[in-house]
Amino acid sequence: MNDKLRMLHTSDVHIGHVTGPGDRHADICQCPALGLAAAIGEYQADLLMVAGDLFDHARLSESAVGATLELLTGPGVPVVVIPGNHDVHDTKSLWQRCRSDVERTGIHLLDQIEGSAFVHKSKQITIWGRAMTEHEPGYRPLGEVPSRPNEGWYVVAAHGHLNLSSEDAHRSSPITYEEISATEADYVALGHWHLPTDASHGGVTAWYPGAPMGSPGKGTAALVTFEDETTVEHVPISVPAHGCS
């Protein structure tokens, strides 16, 4: 279809969840963001996709949010983000409060409730995703996904819970295998589960990438390569050996 393209897919980064011990870490630990930025260069990724929960809560300061966005955009590739259940785009949204930092750093935030898309014309890829305003059973991350474009690769991003059985019917932000298949996308970039999980169905490749948190060598992301077909490799995300202070 197109020339080869590599996308680093991550989710559940949760900046603000853990403050590192002692003087080896900043007050708001940025080790996961530093690890992702390093991985972009190491794996020669053409773009970074964050499928929700980049931040752990809405109480973060503007300086902490700005620092994270600067680190992720530092390598110079497009960074596409959807809000998740920890950084929901509601009336107290940090995304709205820190809008100037989003614009300043050039983050591509998919913040529309009905869904919106990032289109990279030179790389011929379209990424569609819907903003989460409330993590509840009526929110359907993959509801009414637009038809795939006539040209280029098509990625759909969604943050929610994959329903594996009827017992999951009560879960918030549900995602079904049938909805994944119905996207007809080249890849569905999922977020919310912290372990790498294959959710592919009906010829559509879909994965939870794992989370970049944890001790060195235990965090993961999905390196998605679009060429003749879509292939997924789970790669380690290593936090800085000397912290982020």
Side-chain angles (χ1 to χ4, degrees):
M1 183 188 298
N2 306 309
D3 294 335
K4 182 167 67 174
L5 181 147
R6 291 189 182 96
M7 179 181 76
L8 190 67
H9 165 210
T10 188
S11 72
D12 301 276
V13 185
H14 290 291
I15 297 295
H17 175 62
V18 176
T19 299
D23 59 1
R24 298 177 62 243
H25 297 271
D27 289 340
I28 299 298
C29 181
Q30 295 285 358
C31 285
L34 287 164
L36 288 167
I40 291 171
E42 179 179 356
Y43 302 114
Q44 299 181 331
D46 298 294
L47 58 91
L48 174 67
M49 174 72 237
V50 184
D53 287 358
L54 174 57
F55 298 105
D56 189 66
H57 53 77
R59 301 182 302 278
L60 288 167
S61 67
E62 292 184 23
S63 60
V65 171
T68 301
L69 302 185
E70 288 173 0
L71 289 172
L72 295 182
T73 55
V77 304
V79 178
V80 183
V81 179
I82 61 170
N85 62 299
H86 278 257
D87 50 9
V88 291
H89 196 45
D90 59 9
T91 56
K92 299 180 180 179
S93 172
L94 66 78
W95 294 111
Q96 187 60 39
R97 176 166 55 85
C98 301
R99 175 66 61 176
S100 60
D101 289 299
V102 172
E103 296 174 350
R104 175 178 59 83
T105 57
I107 291 283
H108 300 281
L109 178 66
L110 304 183
D111 61 352
Q112 299 301 305
I113 299 171
E114 67 276 11
S116 56
F118 163 75
V119 180
H120 196 316
K121 293 184 178 179
S122 64
K123 293 297 183 180
Q124 296 187 325
I125 187 170
T126 297
I127 301 177
W128 182 91
R130 169 178 285 115
M132 180 185 293
T133 58
E134 185 177 0
H135 185 49
E136 48 89 19
Y139 170 72
R140 308 292 304 202
L142 291 180
E144 300 181 359
V145 175
S147 300
R148 64 172 298 128
N150 293 329
E151 297 181 352
W153 305 107
Y154 187 35
V155 172
V156 173
H159 191 91
H161 181 82
L162 178 63
N163 284 8
L164 298 176
S165 71
S166 59
E167 295 179 357
D168 289 325
H170 70 286
R171 302 298 293 261
S172 296
S173 304
I175 294 170
T176 67
Y177 281 120
E178 291 75 19
E179 288 173 331
I180 290 171
S181 178
T183 67
E184 297 184 346
D186 295 295
Y187 184 73
V188 175
L190 297 172
H192 192 47
W193 291 6
H194 290 200
L195 295 176
T197 305
D198 187 358
S200 304
H201 189 73
V204 174
T205 303
W207 278 87
Y208 289 94
M213 301 182 299
S215 56
K218 293 188 178 180
T220 65
L223 183 64
V224 187
T225 301
F226 302 97
E227 200 168 14
D228 295 329
E229 59 183 14
T230 303
T231 59
V232 181
E233 176 187 1
H234 291 277
V235 296
I237 302 297
S238 298
V239 301
H242 302 291
C244 58
S245 60

